[in-house]
Each structure stands twice: as structure tokens, then as C-alpha cells.
Amino acid sequence: MKAGNPQAAVQAAWLNDIDITPNDFPYIEGLLQRAFSVWSEENLPLFGLEEVSWYLIDHAGKILAEALDRPHAEREAASAAARQMLMLGEPGTIAGGDYSLAAAPVKTRQQGHVYAVMVSTADSDPVEAQLALTVQTAKHFGTCFYHELNHVFLSDLYNLRTQNEREAARWTALLQIVKRIHDKIDVSGVLNEVFESMSDIYPGAHLELLMTQDYQSSNLRVKPLHMNAATGEDKLCIRAYTENIMLSREKVSEKGARTLEIAVPLSGKQGVYGVFHFQIPGELGKDMDLQLVGMLADTAGNAFENAKLYEQSNLLIHELRLINELSRELSQSLQPSEVFEFATKELLEIFKADYCCISELTHEGDQFRIMSTNLETLDKEPFPVNYGICGLVHNTKEPLILSDYHTFKGVRSKIMDSTNSRSLIAAPVKLRGEVRGTILLTHREPHYFSYENYKLLQVLATHIGLAIANASLYEAVQHMANRDMLTGLYARHYLNSCVQKRLSTDSVGSLLVVDIDKFKQINDSYGHQVGDRILKQVCDIIKSSIRSDDIAARWGGEELAIYFPYMTAEDCLKVAERIRERVKAETDPKVTVSCGVGGWRSDQDRISVESLFFTADMALYRAKNGGRNRTEVGGFDGTSERLTP
């Protein structure tokens, strides 16, 4: 350092102020060992003291380094001498035996804390000279230690400066790329700019973008993301997509070539749209700035989302016009067949689908029937409510989109199999919150329908459902006329007509008549509102105890009747007993019922509706007179079977 250079003097003074504290002592072991190594190379052996052994011991009494390989007993003595010096805080000697020991502290610059001890062992006297030498050696070692400390500090400063320069260059490049990306308002332009920017920064990297089916691109580097893929690369991308995190790993080929693989999600505020897949060969991977890659991917995701939202706004305007026109056309017709045919035609045109099928639930609610389709070979006979795609939509009450039917492990579909279709979107047609039908649109190409198509079909299905509801209003009114408003059961005239039809077509059936015991006393004691509540409770128990094909009606007052198609009197008796026991256990206030069962078979004499009701009514009469809360089975030959609770 030159005396005439004030700046150098200030720098030297600043470096001399660098020091350690007792909090640093547990972490300086490596630094102490490097300083001892430097000291040993510069100063050993000392002239005239070649046989002196030197030990470096830390603040806790642990031997960190030694100049010569000495006996274990000597090493233990050196450690004990250091601990003694640490307690006393001053240099000292120990004489005795075949050698003498001297220990001197190594102290911090500013506070004078002892952070190490230098210990020497020698075979010769005098010990005073050995102690003086040890003290000077400790000071010299301290100089070597602080020289190493300054070197470490300056190295850290240099690395920090280099890192800051790289960070500044990275941010400059990132800002330029961000500006170029956000200048694009179309999705294709955003992705092309991202590919070009990535190629400029990492020219040796292989980059592709794996996208979900929501976006179709002509760019060869944009490929579909297969969620059921089995290869290792695809699994890395799938995990990055599902967890929305950047993942990386190093692969080594059989020939020893190394490749860095990175999967970065393309995500915005509304979701994840795809995954950038990098493959960087050889040494290029070591210079890969993963943080920069992540920031570029975040920028690309936000720009992609903004461009997509812009395109979606234009699409939304088009869809609103489309919905308005379709609703206007649908509202002009009140014939259900016309509504179905027009809806099929319009849906095929709107979605450019290959096939369309609109189905509706039957009045019984247990089957679907196809109301309109452009597939002439499709069988239009009713099919079970749980069958195929229609059954799946009916059970979940949710719309459905299939990217590839060939990989679908759920239900099978006749329309998909017969047309060799791969893509499908389906939506329920709801009426007052209940599924009354389904709309299926298919295409032979996989991944054909987008998420926008999926959402648009839901909206159109709502309007189609309203049109169907308006066209079916007359039928709904007729249906309401056949119901008892208080209990929700069918009216007596409807039950009579249904039984009349069943007697002419079926081979066996049963009629159960149920009467609430002492119902007049309930009305007199609790009032008619409680009586109505009891009546509804009994009706609810009956509804939950019979099949969907069974017909329950309010026969009159507190008397209820249920017709069981294809059920013998013996089986009807079991149902009657179950109803009777549930009524006794579940009603509040507690009531009981009496039941009369009448059955018929086609091998008997011809039976009429009146005779069947008479048989069941007589059985009920016997149950009432026999003590109530029981079931009687009437026979046409005058016999009966009595069951008591």
C-alpha cells in the first residue's frame, strides 16, 4: 500500500475492520484449518526448532490441525493445555516428563475474544523461550486467519457483483421480451414470440409446448398434452401441469450423454393451459437460468390468457347473437316434434358436428326415448334411464366432454360405437332443476370439441329445455289433473283407468287398500292441519315403499290404494306389512293403518276393476272389524288370511 494513495488507505482500513464475533465461532472451522495450512507452508520448520510440534485448537478445546503426527498422549496433553488456557485467558506453559507444552490464545481484532489456541510441544528447555515463540506464532497465525477471512469476504463481494450484473442483464432481456410478447393480441402471435425469444436466449435447446385440447395450433412445436401418457418425459410434464410447478431433472443416456429436462407450466390467473418442455443437451444445461425460464413462462402465461380472453370476448358476442336467434326461432313453435327437429338442425350447424341426438325421459321417468337425430340407423326404441352416455348425464346431472372415446373407460355408447365417433359433448336438458332429456353431439375426430363448445352447449340446452317445456305445457296440465294436490298421489280416476289397462294386458296383479285407523279422532283431537300432516306422512311412507311402476292413489278421505303390476297377492301382503309396520313406527303423532289386499291372475275367471276393488275393500273391512292395525287378504272364493301385529 502506497502512502500517497488515500483511497487505498481507506480500503485497507475498511478491510482491517472486518472481524468475527463469538456467534461466528461454531462456523469457522474450515477457515481456521485453511489458515493453519497457509501458516504451516510459510513458517515450518522453524530454524533450530525443527522438533517442535504445533497444534491448532478451537474455542471448545477441539484439535483442528497439527503440524506433525504425534503420539496420542501428547495430543491429549495439548488439548488439556488449551482448555486450561481458555479458562485462564492468558498464555501459559506446562513442564514435565519428556516434553514441555506452551499455549497462546488467538484473539479477535476488536473485542479480544479467544477463537482459537496455538499449542506447541518441545523436548528441550527453556520453556520461557518456547512460550515467547508460541505467543508470537499465535499472533502470526491470527494474521494468516484474517488474511483468509478478507479473501473470503472479497470473493463474496466479487461473486455478488457478478451476480448483480447478470441479474441486471437478465432483467433487461426479460423486459424486452415482455414488451414484445404483450404487443401481441392474438394467441398464435403470443406463442410464436415466446418460441422465438426462448430460441434466442437458449439456441441449443429443444423446446415444445404441450397444450390441452382447449387450444388447437398449426405451430409444429405445439403438441397435445396426453394426461394418460406412460413415458417418463410425459409424466414430468403431467406433474408440472397438475401441480402448477416448474420441474427439472438430468437424464444420462446409455452412451453417457447428459441432458437437462425442464417442464414449466404455461399458466395465468384463471388456470393452467399447457406445459413448456425444454431439453438442453450437454454443457448448455449448466448455464440454464431456471428462474429466468420461470419468469418467461409466467409472462407468456399472462399474455396468452389476455389474448385468449380477447378472442373469447369476440366469440361471446357471436354466441350471444346465436343464442338470441335460436331462442327466437324456438319460441315460435309449440309442437314438441318441431322443436326437437329444429334444435337438431341448428346444433349440427353451430358446432359443425357429425351427429346429433336429442332424447327425452318418458313420463314414468325410467326410460329415455330418442326424439330427434340425424342418424337414421339409430334404434329409436326406448332404452333404460341408466344406459350409456345419456344415463351418465342423467345420473350426474352435469354436462360431459370426451376428448377421445377410444380411451374412455366409463360407459359404452351406441351412437359412438355405430358411427366410430371419437369426440363428444353432452348436456342435460333440465326442467325445474330436474333432468328431462339429453343432447349428444359427436365427431369422428379426437379432441374436436373445445371447452368453449362445451360451455356454449350448456347455455343452448337451457333454451332448448325452455322451448320443450312450453311445448309440453298441455301435457303437464293433464298430468296435474291426474294428481291429488294434498298427498301428491294419483287421483282415483287415474288409478281406475290404469288398472283397467293392466287387467287387459298383464297376467297377474294386486291391489292394496290402506286406511288410517281412527282418523276422525285425530282430526277432532289435534285439528285438521295435523290430520293432513299425518296423511302426508303415511303417503310418503307408501311412496318410499313401492316400485317406480307401482301406482299409488288417494282413494278417498283417509283411504289410499296402490296397484302393483305383475305382483301376486302373497308378495303384496309382504309390502302391506312393511308399510303397516313403518307407519306405526315413523308417524308423529303415532297412528296405525289397516290394510286390505286383493289379487288376480289371468287363469282365474275374468275380473273387472270393480270386483278387484270390492275384494280389497272387503279385506280392509275385516281388518277394521278385527281390531285394526292388521292386514287381511281377500280371495274371490270368499277365503281370507289374517295377520295380526
Side-chain angles (χ1 to χ4, degrees), residues 30-83:
L31 190 61
L32 288 170
Q33 291 173 336
R34 290 199 301 272
F36 187 84
S37 177
V38 171
W39 173 82
S40 299
E41 293 177 0
E42 293 180 355
N43 298 279
L44 293 182
L46 297 174
F47 179 75
L49 297 172
E50 292 82 357
E51 299 301 324
V52 175
S53 299
W54 295 95
Y55 298 90
L56 174 64
I57 300 174
D58 67 2
H59 69 288
K62 176 184 176 182
I63 297 177
L64 299 182
E66 54 187 296
L68 296 174
D69 186 14
R70 304 296 293 176
H72 178 72
E74 183 179 316
R75 297 177 77 253
E76 289 293 327
S79 179
R83 288 194 294 270

Side-chain angles (χ1 to χ4, degrees), residues 627-643:
R628 298 184 179 88
N629 189 24
R630 63 180 62 205
T631 302
E632 293 280 352
V633 178
F636 294 103
D637 56 358
T639 61
S640 66
E641 178 181 356
R642 175 180 298 171
L643 290 180

Side-chain angles (χ1 to χ4, degrees), residues 154-388:
L154 291 175
S155 297
D156 290 342
L157 286 179
Y158 175 78
N159 293 334
L160 181 61
R161 178 180 177 182
T162 303
Q163 182 179 357
N164 290 336
E165 291 176 350
R166 291 179 59 187
E167 188 76 13
R170 180 175 65 177
W171 278 105
T172 301
L174 180 62
L175 289 175
Q176 295 175 351
I177 294 173
V178 168
K179 184 179 183 303
R180 294 199 305 268
I181 291 177
H182 281 289
D183 285 341
K184 308 295 182 181
I185 61 172
D186 61 297
V187 174
S188 298
V190 170
L191 293 183
N192 291 335
E193 184 61 44
V194 171
F195 282 123
E196 292 177 6
S197 300
M198 294 288 193
S199 299
D200 291 341
I201 299 176
Y202 304 107
H206 173 73
L207 171 63
E208 60 185 10
L209 176 60
L210 305 180
M211 297 286 290
T212 60
Q213 75 167 42
D214 297 339
Y215 176 73
Q216 304 292 330
S217 175
S218 58
N219 194 315
L220 297 179
R221 287 183 287 187
V222 178
K223 300 178 181 179
L225 177 63
H226 300 296
M227 299 302 293
N228 58 347
T231 63
E233 295 179 2
D234 289 335
K235 286 183 177 180
L236 185 72
C237 295
I238 291 171
R239 184 184 168 196
Y241 175 82
T242 55
E243 299 181 14
N244 194 18
I245 57 174
M246 179 171 61
L247 300 173
S248 64
R249 67 180 178 188
E250 189 177 48
K251 298 189 301 182
V252 181
S253 66
E254 296 179 355
K255 297 182 180 180
R258 296 181 177 274
T259 302
L260 178 64
E261 183 183 2
I262 306 173
V264 191
L266 175 70
S267 60
K269 295 180 180 179
Q270 296 184 349
V272 183
Y273 305 99
V275 177
F276 286 110
H277 184 212
F278 290 85
Q279 295 188 76
I280 304 96
E283 297 295 324
L284 294 175
K286 294 182 178 180
D287 298 328
M288 195 72 174
D289 192 334
L290 297 182
Q291 187 178 5
L292 177 60
V293 172
M295 289 188 291
L296 288 175
D298 290 340
T299 302
N302 291 328
F304 175 87
E305 188 171 72
N306 292 335
K308 195 171 181 66
L309 290 174
Y310 177 77
E311 293 182 355
Q312 288 176 345
S313 64
N314 292 332
L315 180 62
L316 181 60
I317 295 173
H318 172 72
E319 290 178 354
L320 290 174
R321 292 174 180 171
L322 189 66
I323 293 169
N324 183 48
E325 294 175 2
L326 181 64
S327 300
R328 186 176 64 252
E329 293 293 334
L330 287 171
S331 63
Q332 293 178 358
S333 176
L334 290 177
Q335 295 296 325
S337 59
E338 295 179 3
V339 173
F340 285 118
E341 291 178 5
F342 178 78
T344 299
K345 178 182 176 182
E346 290 299 312
L347 290 173
L348 288 169
E349 178 64 25
I350 293 170
F351 295 97
K352 307 300 179 184
D354 288 337
Y355 300 100
C356 176
C357 176
I358 303 178
S359 60
E360 185 182 37
L361 276 177
T362 59
H363 292 296
E364 292 77 10
D366 59 346
Q367 288 183 318
F368 276 110
R369 58 184 176 186
I370 297 175
M371 306 305 296
S372 179
T373 181
N374 65 325
L375 182 60
E376 297 180 356
T377 59
L378 192 63
D379 187 6
K380 294 188 178 181
E381 289 295 322
F383 55 92
V385 71
N386 293 323
Y387 173 76

Side-chain angles (χ1 to χ4, degrees), residues 410-522:
V411 299
R412 307 309 300 171
S413 171
K414 184 179 294 184
I415 187 173
M416 299 294 285
D417 293 330
S418 61
T419 61
N420 197 28
S421 295
R422 301 280 296 274
S423 300
L424 174 140
I425 48 176
V429 178
K430 295 183 179 180
L431 182 62
R432 294 186 294 274
E434 294 296 326
V435 177
R436 298 303 305 169
T438 59
I439 299 175
L440 307 183
L441 289 168
T442 73
H443 199 279
R444 290 188 178 93
E445 294 182 7
H447 306 280
Y448 179 77
F449 297 110
S450 67
Y451 183 64
E452 284 73 20
N453 297 148
Y454 168 79
K455 293 188 294 184
L456 177 59
L457 181 60
Q458 296 180 56
V459 178
L460 295 180
T462 300
H463 291 272
I464 293 172
L466 291 175
I468 295 173
N470 291 334
S472 304
L473 184 58
Y474 176 76
E475 184 179 2
V477 172
Q478 289 294 104
H479 180 73
M480 291 176 61
N482 293 328
R483 290 281 183 176
D484 176 67
M485 299 303 295
L486 176 62
T487 63
L489 302 182
Y490 285 107
R492 180 170 180 170
H493 68 87
Y494 181 80
L495 176 64
N496 290 342
S497 62
C498 290
V499 174
Q500 183 67 54
K501 293 178 182 179
R502 291 291 184 173
L503 291 177
S504 61
T505 58
D506 298 348
S507 59
V508 67
S510 297
L511 178 69
L512 170 62
V513 181
V514 179
D515 183 81
I516 301 177
D517 297 330
K518 300 181 180 179
F519 190 70
K520 185 178 183 304
Q521 294 181 12
I522 294 175

Side-chain angles (χ1 to χ4, degrees), residues 48-49 51-52 98-101 121-130:
L49 297 172
E51 299 301 324
V52 175
D98 298 332
Y99 52 83
S100 60
L101 294 93
T121 62
D123 297 334
S124 60
D125 292 323
V127 293
E128 293 80 3
Q130 181 182 351

